[in-house]
Amino acid sequence: MTRRLAERPEDVPAVFAERFNSGDPEAVAELYESGAVFVPESGAALTGPDLHAANERFQSLGVPITVRPRHVHSAGDVALLVVDWVIEGTGPDGLPVLIESTAVDVARRGPDGRWRYVIDSPFEGTRAGRDQG
């Protein structure tokens, strides 16, 4: 059984990690508002089925994610989440996997009182560091 959607913005990263680590793409998809945006490392925003396919590609690595929230700032029904994360372990092919970055995300409390991603930018911290060149 997967964890319920977050009732507080600071719980969104932990709910994401639990659902991601469950291996169930549908459980992860429930964490996003309709019309949400996912920004992969390329910087080209994805929505709808493309957003969910991007998450499924990460899940298909078969390696767990660990999250460490750095900052959570909320104003009413909107929250900014800055989260360090790492996907680390051995993939199904026996090779080591290590992907890590800092996400800068926006979540919103829905009419049901649960928090969901509106913008998920998992590589923003890495990209921002490179852009300062």
Side-chain angles (χ1 to χ4, degrees), residues 26-86:
E26 290 180 24
V28 173
E30 292 173 355
L31 294 169
Y32 292 84
E33 281 191 359
S34 174
V37 173
F38 179 91
V39 185
E41 198 165 16
S42 69
L46 304 174
T47 60
D50 294 332
L51 177 159
H52 302 302
N55 271 324
E56 286 182 48
R57 281 190 293 278
F58 281 114
Q59 279 186 297
S60 72
L61 295 170
V63 178
I65 191 169
T66 302
V67 298
R68 194 176 78 244
R70 191 187 301 182
H71 302 290
V72 177
H73 305 288
S74 58
D77 292 338
V78 177
L80 174 67
L81 312 168
V82 179
V83 181
D84 297 320
W85 61 271
V86 62

Side-chain angles (χ1 to χ4, degrees), residues 5 9 16-17 19 39 52 64 68 83 106 118 121:
L5 293 175
F16 178 86
R19 286 173 173 241
V39 185
H52 302 302
R68 194 176 78 244
V83 181
V106 177
V118 178
S121 187

Side-chain angles (χ1 to χ4, degrees), residues 15 20 22 24 28 33 39 50 59 85 97 111-112 127 131:
V15 172
F20 180 95
S22 78
D24 180 357
V28 173
E33 281 191 359
V39 185
D50 294 332
Q59 279 186 297
W85 61 271
V97 174
D112 63 357
R127 188 170 40 256
D131 290 346

